Amino acid sequence: MSDWSKAVSAFKSAGEGAPTMTGNLGLQLEEPLIFEQGEDGRCGVDLPPVPKVESKLGGLARKGRIGLPGLSEPQVVRHYTRLSQKNYAIDAGLYPLGSCTMKHNPRLNEKMARLPGFSDVHPLQPVSTVQGALELIDTLAHWLKTLTGMPAVAMSPAAGAHGELCGMMAIRAAIEAKGERRTRVLVPESAHGTNPATAAACGYIVDPIPANARGRVDIEAFKAKLGDDVAAVMITNPNTCGLFESEIIEIAELIHSVGGYFYCDGANFNAIVGRVRPGDLGVDAMHINLHKTFSTPHGGGGPGAGPVVLSEALAKFVPMPYVVQEAGSYKLVEHEGEGGQNFGRLKAFQGQMGMFVRALTYMMSHGADGLRQVASDAVLNANYILARLKDEMSPAFDGPCMHEALFDDTFLKGTGVTTLDFAKAMIDEGYHPMTMYFPLVVHGALLIEPTETESKDAIDQFIAVLGGLAQRAKQGDQADWFRAAPRYTPRRRLDETSAARKPILRWMPETESKEAAD
Amino acid sequence: MRYLPLTESDRRAMLAAIGVPSVDSLFRDVPESAWLKKPVEGLPDHMGELAVDRALTAMAAKSVTAGSAPFFIGGGAYKHHVPASVDHLIQRGEFMTSYTPYQPEVTQGTLQYLFEFQTQVALITGMDVANASMYDGSTAVAEAVVMANRVTRREKAVVSGGLHPMYREVIDTHARFLGFEVVAGRIDPTSAEDLIDRIDDKTSCVVVQNPDFFGNLRDFTKLAEACQARGALLIVAVTEIVSLGAVKSPGEMGADIVVAEGQSIGNALNFGGPYVGLFATRDKYVRQMPGRLAGQTVDADGRRGWVLTLSTREQHIRREKATSNICTNSGLCALAFTIHMSLLGEDGFTRLAALNHAAAASLAGKLAGVKGVEVLTGSFFNEFTVRLSKPAAEVVEALAEKNILAGIPVSRLIPGRDDLANLLVIAATEVNTEADMDALAKGLTEVLS
Amino acid sequence: MTRKYTEDHEWLEIAGDIATVGITDYAQQQLGDVVFVELPSIGKKVTKGGDAAVVESVKAASEVYSPATGEVVEVNSDLEAAPNTVNDDPHGKGWFFKMKLSNSGELDSLMDEAGYKAFVEGLA
């Protein structure tokens, strides 16, 4: 009798002892790499024959194969569909990643971004042929300036961290234009890692400011660090603990009093949009993550967009290019005449146009009234979670919070269960974990951001699951159960140590990888 | 409001559970002087789908689209045909509405395609290893220079005059703020500069582009040897990634870092972004490389899987000592690249490149016969430079009036140089028909006569 | 031979004017599985308290500070291929580098084994 199971192409990944021949578990399908499926002579596109012309490659024609696999369209569609099914997504469930703002991504945004008048336009077309595209950028700029109460905006930064770089470069350019030299940038310890990395990338020394017991900037420590060598303070507000920096106006006045600038990390603008204008707080520069506050998709890690609003003091240092309106038509300023003070160029072309269209679509859909409601509901949802779980879990600070609820791991003390284990157990219950171990100023942090696009029912369910898991942890003797989670995912916990010790960062043909191993 | 699920009664119940009378009291940490009592002034109220769709469709209609005219503009962004399945797949919510794969158990899909992307990029550039993407080609080249400074512990970059002028400006901007030196090569449409003479013992890297901004193809093997002899790194930028289906790879020439704009594969023109930066290097430099990396490992049951790895290079761990401040990359654009490249495969990618080259060669032949046009570029891929008998900016405007999008006047990117004023950079791809090319030749004949 | 310890959890073993430097067992436990070690170049001049090497786990990167002033004369390049040695044998085969001391007077301020043990207990 033939052993049919041997004819099943068992994936190496299925492993011994798998309950099925294929390693598949019903709808949970194993999928090899695209490189393991290719066949010569197969192609997923039909291209016409190449006309005979004399080569102009000047003897530089590629010789030999590249090594790309050949697949037909149905194979490619199936492969990437199967890969997609191994992902958690907002479309599928609540995604409470604090500081990441995983809110619903409206599909109208996608449709608008694909209008040919925005998507099928080249950045170097004659300006007379791109008036609609420039109008879109100018309109979005108007919304951003109005919502933040700031006079200028630099549109080209490609993401939040790139926006930070833009803002800090503008600050340094302004300082240099005054003939000053300043070397230090003050950054709270609770800051997102991009803040110190940006200050360093801008040539500054990073000087950390501690947090006080209320999770805010320790203003006395801040005062002690002020001096005429301080270029700027970088403060996230609402901060990474999900709290509003209540002394923000005083902080702004203090930094201005020593001739420094106030860089505000606008990552959490979604908590205050329509209710507070950063311009009223004394901010000099603030980036806005369009993929957070204005719901352009996160896309598994980008693309983002990070326009930076600038105060009057910094406006003239805005990088190239920018859009101006003159005599009823839009112009693109790509070079400045003599005496110009722009600090340079951050990126080729005009910015993340596709993201601009999505963000403007979102803004127009909500309007001024809806955006105010966005902030209100986001803050309400987070406080509701904080209030309902304050006894079962351990809030890091007293409320109210802004758009995210921060817990520490006190409630897990003595249980043998860590924040990581707790988060992994949530996965088996069908939730993406919250942000863990960030901000660093809180021990075993669990940072929960529900966003405004969750219904009360969904939040109640989520609260019940967290409460249930916390109870289970506290029963005692549950550490092994938690440590074994997740059990029902396409993969269980992955060995990150060997991944980092012996990095395998690309697929290799079998023979070559064997040779490399020998 | 269609995107907000809470009802008024939900809100009341939730406020009661929190124990506060109103949402305003949740904002009590905000200094009262900064409170807005009502919606921001000067902006409209919310709109339904239909109204937003109408308004934006009307705005979009005010531009001339690349697909509606004979189109020959390149210069770092190219019009190619993208198969319909690419856009369908990247819009699957599981890809589009997922975050950076920090929780590998529930993001194996993203991690596996990033691993496939890294492999494809390494293969086509001829390098050992590639990262999971950068913002775009221009920012990738600046990051490459900063990385070379770090690897060599030197602070002087020699930058070819053939590098895309905007890319050079991005490097210059980083140089100003990080305090490293840039030695600028000679800007010359035939790329006759000799960079070997410019390398000394303080040089961290030499940055070249292939094909260069004017379209010239060059073999940098000797330059790579010269770099190696002086302890400098060779950085090769590629703004038209399709070229690597036809042209000897930078890896074969001996490049240490290859950066590229990947827009041509899978991504629309999008008026300049979002695009996808490619970044590849040699194994020995991997820990100095910026950006995210997906790596292979096994799970608790011994099954193959993927994780983000070597994260200690990155800002969220290394803070001010990180290799770069980059956080977000171009995930979904990288996915579009990977899917399109998978559809093409070996045969499709090389044939697509051959079609592009044939289109440009054929167009150059046609234009060489037009009075007032001189083709300057001897060897090229799908883009070349011509000298016109009139200033190129005027000619391009006149052709736009005739609904022909002709190319890039060099003066738009490098203003103030009389010797460059009449130069036009022209690209042709597989989307250009014989009729498009004849229209350009005829249009030029008319405008130049 | 004498062993001395720093508050940053480095140890050094002194033999004449040469000292061998590593990180303590406590430090490796705090870091978890070490995945990478970046060693100084031979000939590098290091100062007391200044950056000398980097040790990385999956989720953390830490500077290894030089416990004394001097010049690096030898590095443990075995760690590049086997960083786990730092976990397995931190006080022996897991050493990082050897340095030629230029100011032996500085060593007096460092802790001895008993002093370090008390210091670590105080951290718990």
Side-chain angles (χ1 to χ4, degrees), chain A residues 13 31-32 34 36 43-44 47-48 56 60-62 65-69 79-80 83-84 86-91 95 97 100 102 105-106 111-112 114 116-117 119-122 124-125 129-130 132-133 135 146 161 169 172 176 191 193-194 197-198 200-202 216 246 271 275 297-302 334-335 345 347-348 350 352-354 361 364-369 372-373 377 381 400 424 427 436 452 491-495 499-500 504-507, chain B residues 1-6 11 14 24 27-29 36-37 41 44-47 53 56 59-60 62-67 73-74 77 79 87 91-100 103-107 109-110 112 115-116 118-119 123-124 127-128 136 138 169 173 176-178 218 244 246-248 269-271 273-274 287 295-301 303-304 309 315 319-320 325 328-329 331-332 338 342-346 351 357 379-380 412-413:
Chain A
S13 50
E31 182 62 14
I34 199 95
E36 293 159 346
C43 191
L47 293 169
K56 296 281 182 185
L60 278 178
R62 180 187 265 281
R65 286 177 56 83
I66 300 167
L68 297 169
H79 175 71
Y80 289 102
L83 290 195
S84 78
K86 297 175 193 293
N87 272 4
Y88 194 89
I90 312 167
D91 278 2
Y95 211 129
L97 264 183
C100 301
M102 302 300 284
N105 297 143
K111 184 181 173 194
M112 295 298 98
R114 286 167 174 80
S119 66
D120 192 28
V121 180
H122 192 286
L124 294 174
Q125 276 180 223
T129 68
V130 295
E135 182 179 343
T146 308
M169 284 177 171
R172 192 166 146 186
E176 286 174 358
T194 52
T198 299
C202 215
R216 271 96 174 170
S246 41
R275 297 192 65 109
H298 284 75
E334 293 175 303
H335 306 278
R345 176 181 281 277
K347 174 181 185 303
Q350 302 55 270
Q352 305 284 72
M353 180 68 175
T361 306
M364 290 171 70
S365 297
H366 283 81
D369 54 337
R372 184 177 169 87
Q373 193 66 53
D377 285 358
N381 284 347
K424 297 296 185 193
I427 294 177
M436 306 176 294
E452 72 283 2
R491 286 294 176 271
R492 297 184 59 208
R493 287 198 207 184
L494 290 127
D495 183 351
I504 303 173
L505 303 172
R506 59 173 285 191
W507 173 85
Chain B
M1 217 287 127
R2 61 188 178 279
Y3 302 133
L4 301 177
L6 295 188
R11 292 185 184 113
M14 293 164 83
D24 282 355
F27 282 84
R28 65 175 177 239
D29 289 324
L36 296 176
K37 307 286 185 221
E41 279 174 31
D45 277 348
H46 67 275
M47 291 162 87
D53 193 328
L56 289 174
M59 200 187 285
K62 294 177 194 170
S63 294
V64 179
T65 64
I73 306 174
K79 175 145 179 80
D87 200 37
Q91 285 194 75
R92 287 188 64 90
E94 299 93 327
F95 285 135
M96 193 177 81
T97 76
S98 179
Y99 193 68
T100 303
Q103 297 288 338
E105 299 90 344
V106 287
T107 47
T110 298
Q112 186 170 335
F115 188 80
E116 294 178 350
Q118 289 169 192
T119 306
L123 285 170
I124 61 177
M127 301 299 281
D128 297 334
D136 71 352
S138 69
E169 289 169 26
T173 302
R176 172 180 171 186
F177 291 99
L178 280 173
R218 289 184 75 182
L244 294 182
V247 177
K248 185 174 174 179
L269 288 168
N270 281 328
F271 197 48
R287 286 176 194 270
Q296 185 179 314
T297 188
V298 292
D299 79 348
D301 294 333
R303 294 174 298 177
R304 181 175 70 173
T309 192
Q315 48 74 28
R319 300 176 79 84
E320 69 269 24
N325 79 335
T328 300
N329 53 26
L332 211 59
T338 296
S342 298
L343 286 162
L344 289 166
E346 184 88 16
R351 189 188 287 200
H357 182 57
S379 54
F380 55 84
R412 175 158 177 189
L413 277 74

Side-chain angles (χ1 to χ4, degrees), chain A residues 193-443:
Chain A
T194 52
N195 292 174
T198 299
C202 215
Y204 285 113
I205 297 162
V206 176
D207 195 350
I209 330 170
N212 65 18
R214 293 175 57 241
R216 271 96 174 170
V217 169
D218 182 334
I219 198 146
E220 292 310 318
F222 169 68
K223 278 185 198 162
K225 287 189 185 269
L226 286 173
D228 60 9
D229 62 333
V230 173
V233 62
M234 297 181 85
I235 291 183
T236 309
N237 197 24
N239 70 21
T240 57
C241 298
L243 303 170
F244 197 89
E245 293 284 353
S246 41
E247 293 167 308
I248 197 72
I249 293 178
E250 195 185 349
I251 290 171
E253 284 167 0
L254 283 166
I255 189 76
H256 290 152
S257 73
V258 296
Y261 292 87
F262 176 11
Y263 186 89
C264 183
D265 182 325
N268 296 333
F269 186 51
N270 57 305
I272 56 171
V273 60
R275 297 192 65 109
V276 181
R277 296 186 308 173
D280 297 333
L281 304 172
V283 168
D284 290 299
M286 181 180 93
H287 74 266
I288 298 164
N289 307 73
L290 296 184
H291 48 287
K292 288 161 53 65
T293 303
F294 301 113
S295 189
T296 70
H298 284 75
V308 181
V309 287
L310 298 168
S311 65
E312 208 62 66
L314 297 180
K316 59 175 170 285
F317 302 100
V318 62
M320 296 288 113
Y322 54 85
V323 179
V324 292
Q325 215 179 342
E326 256 172 40
S329 73
Y330 293 97
K331 297 213 158 45
L332 191 59
V333 180
E334 293 175 303
H335 306 278
E336 217 167 50
E338 271 178 51
Q341 289 192 291
N342 78 83
F343 72 69
R345 176 181 281 277
L346 274 173
K347 174 181 185 303
F349 313 130
Q350 302 55 270
Q352 305 284 72
M353 180 68 175
M355 301 295 115
F356 297 164
V357 183
R358 290 171 175 90
L360 184 62
T361 306
Y362 176 90
M363 290 174 178
M364 290 171 70
S365 297
H366 283 81
D369 54 337
L371 289 173
R372 184 177 169 87
Q373 193 66 53
V374 160
S376 303
D377 285 358
V379 169
L380 178 60
N381 284 347
N383 276 285
Y384 181 63
I385 291 172
L386 187 67
R388 297 254 340 252
L389 287 170
K390 70 174 187 301
D391 297 329
E392 205 63 71
M393 292 168 64
S394 40
F397 301 103
D398 290 337
C401 62
M402 299 302 286
H403 60 300
E404 50 199 355
L406 177 61
F407 297 89
D408 62 24
D409 61 0
T410 312
F411 74 104
L412 294 172
K413 207 166 187 180
T415 64
V417 178
T418 64
T419 292
L420 178 75
D421 300 330
F422 189 83
K424 297 296 185 193
M426 286 169 64
I427 294 177
D428 276 341
E429 299 294 345
Y431 288 103
H432 194 283
M434 66 288 273
T435 294
M436 306 176 294
Y437 302 107
F438 179 84
L440 307 173
V441 293
V442 167
H443 199 269

Side-chain angles (χ1 to χ4, degrees), chain B residues 287-288 311-312 317-318 321, chain C residues 36 51 54 56-57 60 63:
Chain B
R287 286 176 194 270
Q288 296 296 334
S311 319
T312 43
I317 290 175
R318 218 57 200 284
K321 289 188 173 159
Chain C
F36 180 65
D51 293 355
V54 179
E56 296 185 4
S57 65
E63 307 297 329

